[in-house]
Amino acid sequence: MNIIFFLIGCSVLIALIFLGAFFWANRTGQHDDTYTPSVRILFDDEVVADERAETKKS
Amino acid sequence: MSETVNTVVEEGCFHCGDKVEEAPFLLDGHTFCCLGCQTVYQVLHDSNMQNYYKYNTHPGRSQKKKGIDVSYLDEPNIAAKLVDFKDDHIAVMTFYIPVIHCSSCIWLLEHLYKLNPAVVTSQVDFMKKQATITFKHNELSLRGLVELLIHIGYEPKITLQDVVKEGKKVNQNGLVAKIAVAGFCFGNSMMLSFPEYFGMADFEKQYASVFGYLNLAFAVPTLLYSASDYFKSAWMSLKQKRLNLDVPLALGIFIIFIRTAFEVLTKTGPGFADTLCSLVFFILIGKWVQQRTYYHISFERDYRSYFPVAVTRIENNVDRPVQLSDLKVGDRILVRNNEIIPADSILLNGQASIDFSFVTGESRAVEKILGEVIYAGGRQVGEAIELEVVKPVSQSYLTKLWNNESFKQYEKQFDTFIGFISKYFTIGLVAIAVVACGFWLVGGDSMKAWGAFTAVLIIACPCALALSSPFTLSAALSIFDRNKFYIKNTAAIEEMAAIDCIVFDKTGTISSPRSSSMFFEGQLSGAEKIAVASVCRNSGHPLSREIVKWMNVSSFQELSSFEEIAGQGMRAQVGEVSILVGSASFVGVKQGSADGSVVYVSIDGEVKGFFTLEQSWRVGLVDVVNDLKEGYDLHLISGDNERRMDALKLIFPKESSLLFNQSPGEKLLEIEAWQDKGKQVCMLGDGLNDAGALRKADLGIAVSDDINNFSPGCDAILDGDSFAKLPKFFAFAKDAVKVIHLSFAISLTYNVVGLSFAVQGTMSPLFAAILMPISTVTIISFTSLSTRWLAKRRKLV
């Protein structure tokens, strides 16, 4: 049953890693703007599209 | 693809969607309303950026307004103040761009590098309407960048009081970190408390002390880090001999910790670590909910955010932009079309036609003659004028309002219900704890006395009470928000419920600058109408455009000659007829009105009549006044003259005082006089001249037709469209306060139940661990649901 001490240690360690990750995200401003990225991701990668259009023309 | 576009008959300008009037601009089969829109299209088309038009139809905004002069950005000391960061190669600048409104805007602004390779990166924050642009300042100056933005129709707002940068200072990171730590400790300590609650077999008891120590370890950061603000605030309020709600909270948190530490260290019990962590976690969330603010609206604007950053000073016949703060008495300044007069000054040269709409809400231009003093805050319309500064910027007629002492106090102190309650709550709580402790001590059971004393303070810790007001008010805030009524903070809603006297400004507040109606006194035949409209069509003056609209003629005549004298009028020849349109002196009326908004018409030397322009009342004004009449004193303070007093007397009840010709300072004093009579005064205003009254009033509401535009510092901003809902808003604020009272009753019931166990010294940790979250959840769901229900009843959602 002593394994339980090891498991508790592991669970607290993992939780601490997540807490640290949250702190890092918060400090680097990843929660500053929660709206714009949702729009940005929908934009087409038009650089590639333009090249295709040009090759079609030629 | 392009062919199909060509065949489609487009309605409205391809760029901005505005109605295309006669003689449209055509390019690539698209129609444009003006050259500006067409230019933007051309620029984007040449850079292969048509995607802008793919994401939304008509993503642009009308380019009809003329651009502004940004040459002051070339001055290194001005530019240095504006940029966020600068090194040898790059500079970073955050712009506030009010026109950002759709995904195309984001796309275009983030692809600026295609238009100018000197732009390294650009990132848009849509909610804040900001763009952070990194650029190589050796290749592209700040001025060049701003001109590029203006060129594509995204004019940034650059002001002295930088709303953007001040907004950055408001930082919730500290609070969020505290919530994260409290949540982390809460989760872990709850897991470790479960074995105790579910019961352990004898051989498992050896773990109990380990769980206890771990729990205590999680309680320490919660106490020292997450709850630190409560101890500070409680200490401050005790020092000022006031009792706020943080006192019982801090006391409760502290006692829970002491008892937990005592029980764990003496191995007499499991302690209350999970209750402690959950309590701190929930009250911090309440605090966070209360502190949420609007990103894109600023309530703290003063004249600095409205005045230009720099002004053109004439020194030895050389124009040079200088910072506003460097402007001295006696300086000669040049104010161009659409620029704002920054300080009280004397007109030296040029035709001054000043639009004081930001100051008074009146949008028509006022003519000034040479040698006349022009007050700061007006916007010049027409040619460039030369002025001599007679007062420094901070001492001008308008800006000296901000030196008034009511502006010195930083924050208005609202008396909140919770603040009122917490005084008695704390005293009652401590009294019960002491009595319970004394009772058991007299009985000779010191362990039970300690148990009862701590249990009372733990169970009665006003967690639910601390949450009731933030959750109710933030729910109300978002409902107001949906109805285009933006309130600065939650305390202002409580203040709104206490209001019993409402004061209106006239121009721009109860009348709308967007809708004005032309009145014509005199007689014009159909042919004469066409002739006059044909003349007025050629002028860019706003009054001329209004006249053309009023005439509503289907065809126009060719003019054989046309001459416009700025600030006076127009002289034109239409066929055989000569027409004069303009001011009384220009047309030759001897006893005419000197008012700049009266336009006389004379045909072949005969005066046919005159036009006047009046702002019309906002939609629903009569209903608003009728609804508010019951329960509120209504008054009107206007800086304008008594011209429309008779009409207003019919609208307002008899008891109302209608005051006219009030200066900004007098408005403030008038509000103060009502307050001295014991009234809770709410002021509704729109212009800079109301800023003092808005600040002085218990609740200042700025009425604005475009919330991104300038509005004076206030407690709330009301969109002009929602003016008719005003009585509903006031009633709903009262509802919200009722919800707080009810939830107070609920949390008190929980406390009584808990206390009845606590005074007997029989409260178990499990009981506390269940009662605390249940009361919290009840309060949160009750407040959110009932606020929504009440809003539905008022038809606000």
Side-chain angles (χ1 to χ4, degrees):
Chain A
M1 274 301 278
N2 281 336
I3 188 73
I4 205 153
F5 295 122
F6 175 72
L7 288 177
I8 287 175
C10 285
S11 84
V12 170
L13 189 72
I14 290 169
L16 271 175
I17 291 170
F18 279 115
L19 185 69
F22 179 80
F23 269 101
W24 167 73
N26 201 39
R27 199 154 290 173
T28 50
Q30 294 179 36
H31 302 139
D32 285 357
D33 182 5
T34 49
Y35 181 78
T36 323
S38 70
V39 178
R40 197 176 291 138
I41 197 166
L42 296 174
F43 291 142
D44 295 332
D45 200 354
E46 29 61 59
V47 179
V48 181
D50 284 349
E51 276 170 10
R52 260 188 224 150
E54 272 167 30
T55 47
K56 260 186 196 171
K57 266 182 205 165
S58 60
Chain B
M1 176 67 196
S2 59
E3 279 173 9
T4 52
V5 172
N6 277 337
T7 54
V8 171
V9 179
E10 286 173 63
E11 284 190 24
C13 171
F14 184 67
H15 180 72
C16 68
D18 276 5
K19 216 177 93 189
V20 179
E21 281 154 22
E22 77 282 3
F25 295 85
L26 279 163
L27 187 74
D28 292 349
H30 304 302
T31 47
F32 297 92
C33 66
C34 59
L35 189 64
C37 287
Q38 189 187 328
T39 317
V40 178
Y41 173 82
Q42 181 117 40
V43 169
L44 298 181
H45 185 81
D46 292 348
S47 312
N48 228 342
M49 294 176 81
Q50 298 96 318
N51 267 1
Y52 180 64
Y53 297 99
K54 262 187 219 159
Y55 292 116
N56 295 281
T57 44
H58 313 309
R61 283 288 153 97
S62 173
Q63 298 300 310
K64 278 176 192 154
K65 270 205 316 200
K66 291 247 172 68
I68 50 154
D69 176 52
V70 289
S71 56
Y72 61 86
L73 291 172
D74 279 341
E75 289 292 307
N77 54 345
I78 295 176
K81 273 197 178 165
L82 294 169
V83 292
D84 302 342
F85 169 81
K86 191 175 185 179
D87 68 9
D88 290 345
H89 305 287
I90 59 153
V92 182
M93 167 110 187
T94 305
F95 295 99
Y96 172 61
I97 305 177
V99 289
I100 292 178
H101 68 284
C102 67
S103 53
S104 288
C105 303
I106 302 175
W107 185 85
L108 178 58
L109 289 171
E110 297 200 338
H111 288 77
L112 273 184
Y113 64 89
K114 287 180 130 191
L115 289 175
N116 192 320
V119 175
V120 183
T121 57
S122 45
Q123 194 170 13
V124 175
D125 188 330
F126 186 79
M127 299 307 267
K128 295 181 190 157
K129 296 180 187 288
Q130 289 174 9
T132 306
I133 300 176
T134 310
F135 59 101
K136 297 177 193 152
H137 59 82
N138 298 327
E139 296 166 35
L140 178 67
S141 68
L142 183 61
R143 178 185 176 179
L145 178 64
V146 172
E147 279 173 347
L148 172 69
L149 287 171
I150 294 173
H151 193 56
I152 57 169
Y154 288 89
E155 183 187 324
K157 217 175 186 125
I158 301 170
T159 61
L160 281 177
Q161 183 197 26
D162 208 322
V163 177
V164 174
K165 277 170 197 147
E166 283 183 17
K168 273 185 188 163
K169 282 185 206 151
V170 186
N171 200 331
Q172 285 212 323
N173 277 349
L175 183 60
V176 169
K178 279 175 181 148
I179 294 175
V181 168
F184 165 78
C185 293
F186 169 44
N188 282 290
S189 66
M190 199 167 64
M191 294 294 275
L192 293 167
S193 298
F194 272 154
E196 185 68 36
Y197 298 154
F198 292 136
M200 289 190 271
D202 280 339
F203 77 95
E204 289 166 334
K205 288 279 189 212
Q206 48 166 324
Y207 300 116
S209 64
V210 177
F211 292 153
Y213 285 122
L214 276 171
N215 266 336
L216 190 60
F218 285 121
V220 172
T222 314
L223 178 85
L224 296 181
Y225 178 65
S226 298
S228 57
D229 285 346
Y230 288 95
F231 291 107
K232 275 181 213 149
S233 154
W235 177 244
M236 288 298 288
S237 90
L238 283 177
K239 251 180 30 186
Q240 292 170 8
K241 301 212 171 75
R242 287 188 302 119
L243 288 173
N244 63 12
L245 198 64
D246 290 346
V247 176
L249 280 172
L251 190 65
I253 293 166
F254 186 67
I255 292 289
I256 299 176
F257 182 77
I258 293 292
R259 178 154 171 187
T260 306
F262 175 80
E263 285 189 4
V264 168
L265 295 175
T266 59
K267 301 204 169 110
T268 48
F272 295 85
D274 58 332
T275 309
L276 169 73
C277 297
S278 71
L279 175 88
V280 174
F281 180 61
F282 285 128
I283 56 178
L284 283 175
I285 286 184
K287 203 177 199 177
W288 179 71
V289 165
Q290 193 162 24
Q291 284 185 2
R292 261 189 332 180
T293 45
Y294 296 107
Y295 291 125
H296 58 287
I297 306 174
S298 173
F299 295 95
E300 302 297 343
R301 286 180 199 161
D302 62 20
Y303 65 92
R304 288 178 299 157
S305 64
Y306 163 63
F307 278 8
V309 175
V311 66
T312 312
R313 182 163 68 189
I314 306 170
E315 284 169 86
N316 308 327
N317 290 328
V318 183
D319 300 356
R320 196 164 160 247
V322 289
Q323 285 182 68
L324 212 51
S325 50
D326 294 342
L327 208 60
K328 290 188 293 290
V329 174
D331 281 351
R332 284 173 79 109
I333 54 171
L334 186 74
V335 174
R336 300 189 185 84
N337 184 20
N338 264 331
E339 286 185 345
I340 287 161
I341 292 153
D344 293 358
S345 40
I346 292 174
L347 182 61
L348 294 180
N349 201 358
Q351 274 292 340
S353 167
I354 316 290
D355 166 12
F356 277 109
S357 60
F358 281 98
V359 182
T360 62
E362 180 67 75
S363 56
R364 64 189 181 208
V366 179
E367 315 286 335
K368 294 280 177 183
I369 53 166
L370 293 185
E372 203 173 348
V373 172
I374 303 179
Y375 290 128
R379 186 189 287 275
Q380 160 68 358
V381 184
E383 61 175 7
I385 51 172
E386 251 179 75
L387 301 155
E388 187 180 311
V389 178
V390 291
K391 272 186 186 161
V393 175
S394 62
Q395 291 302 319
S396 287
Y397 177 68
L398 198 63
T399 47
K400 74 179 177 207
L401 251 189
W402 275 267
N403 305 331
N404 185 295
E405 59 182 28
S406 56
F407 283 92
K408 294 210 173 108
Q409 70 203 55
Y410 178 64
E411 192 91 355
K412 276 187 204 171
Q413 282 293 334
F414 293 118
D415 281 332
T416 57
F417 171 69
I418 295 297
F420 168 75
I421 283 295
S422 50
K423 258 184 275 177
Y424 304 99
F425 189 86
T426 316
I427 295 168
L429 183 63
V430 174
I432 293 173
V434 169
V435 167
C437 178
F439 177 79
W440 290 109
L441 274 179
V442 170
D445 192 340
S446 61
M447 255 337 264
K448 268 220 161 138
W450 155 255
F453 178 74
T454 50
V456 167
L457 292 179
I458 292 171
I459 205 73
C461 189
C463 170
L465 190 57
L467 293 178
S468 65
S469 148
F471 274 92
T472 310
L473 294 177
S474 69
L477 211 61
S478 64
I479 282 160
F480 281 133
D481 177 55
R482 212 176 300 174
N483 288 284
K484 296 185 179 173
F485 182 39
Y486 309 92
I487 300 183
K488 183 170 144 190
N489 54 32
T490 49
I493 300 183
E494 280 192 70
E495 188 54 44
M496 193 172 164
I499 292 297
D500 55 8
C501 172
I502 303 174
V503 181
F504 296 93
D505 168 52
K506 190 181 69 124
T507 318
T509 305
I510 61 171
S511 64
S512 164
R514 277 198 194 160
S515 64
S516 41
S517 11
M518 219 58 209
F519 294 97
F520 182 72
E521 281 179 44
Q523 280 290 321
L524 282 180
S525 68
E528 284 168 340
K529 269 188 183 176
I530 291 173
V532 174
S534 311
V535 175
C536 291
R537 191 166 73 116
N538 290 286
S539 159
H541 197 283
L543 280 173
S544 308
R545 262 179 273 154
E546 283 297 327
I547 293 173
V548 177
K549 227 190 279 169
W550 183 87
M551 294 287 196
N552 195 21
V553 291
S554 47
S555 62
F556 293 99
Q557 279 175 285
E558 284 289 318
L559 305 184
S560 31
S561 80
F562 177 79
E563 183 191 7
E564 183 170 10
I565 299 111
Q568 294 194 39
M570 293 164 285
R571 182 181 290 128
Q573 194 77 27
V574 185
E576 301 286 290
V577 200
S578 71
I579 295 178
L580 288 176
V581 180
S583 67
S585 56
F586 178 74
V587 176
V589 182
K590 287 205 179 82
Q591 277 135 359
S593 163
D595 197 322
S597 64
V598 179
V599 179
Y600 287 86
V601 177
S602 141
I603 296 174
D604 281 339
E606 186 192 345
V607 178
K608 290 283 183 183
F610 60 89
F611 291 95
T612 49
L613 188 67
E614 296 283 0
Q615 286 189 4
S616 37
W617 304 128
R618 281 194 194 275
V619 181
L621 173 69
V622 177
D623 293 336
V624 167
V625 171
N626 278 338
D627 288 349
L628 289 175
K629 197 153 69 174
E630 319 283 330
Y632 296 96
D633 291 357
L634 302 177
H635 301 290
L636 182 107
I637 307 185
S638 173
D640 211 349
N641 56 29
E642 303 94 330
R643 237 179 327 138
R644 301 177 79 180
M645 179 133 102
D646 294 338
L648 284 164
K649 268 191 179 155
L650 291 176
I651 297 172
F652 278 85
K654 282 199 193 89
E655 312 81 63
S656 304
S657 29
L658 306 175
L659 304 169
F660 294 93
N661 298 317
Q662 301 285 310
S663 74
E666 282 169 337
K667 286 188 176 187
L668 193 154
L669 290 176
E670 221 37 77
I671 298 279
E672 205 170 1
W674 277 310
Q675 282 174 333
D676 288 344
K677 283 183 200 156
K679 294 285 177 193
Q680 298 282 315
V681 185
C682 168
M683 171 81 199
L684 280 103
D686 70 308
L688 266 178
N689 61 345
D690 301 319
L694 288 172
R695 183 78 189 202
K696 184 72 206 169
D698 297 286
L699 183 77
I701 302 177
V703 182
S704 171
D705 285 290
D706 182 358
I707 53 151
N708 294 318
N709 258 345
F710 174 79
S711 56
C714 56
D715 301 305
I717 298 174
L718 173 68
D719 193 302
D721 296 341
S722 294
F723 183 79
K725 290 183 187 162
L726 205 58
K728 279 187 189 172
F729 291 151
F730 275 102
F732 183 61
K734 285 204 161 118
D735 289 346
V737 171
K738 262 181 222 147
V739 171
I740 296 178
H741 291 184
L742 274 176
S743 56
F744 172 68
I746 294 175
S747 74
L748 217 54
T749 316
Y750 274 109
N751 276 343
V752 169
V753 173
L755 278 174
S756 61
F757 286 89
V759 290
Q760 299 170 41
T762 54
M763 188 186 65
S764 73
L766 180 59
F767 181 74
I770 291 176
L771 190 71
M772 202 76 95
I774 284 193
S775 66
T776 307
V777 169
T778 318
I779 291 298
I780 293 177
S781 40
F782 170 74
T783 52
S784 323
L785 290 176
S786 55
T787 313
R788 251 195 92 79
W789 181 75
L790 286 168
K792 206 165 248 173
R793 223 184 47 170
R794 299 254 176 231
K795 298 201 170 66
L796 288 173
V797 275

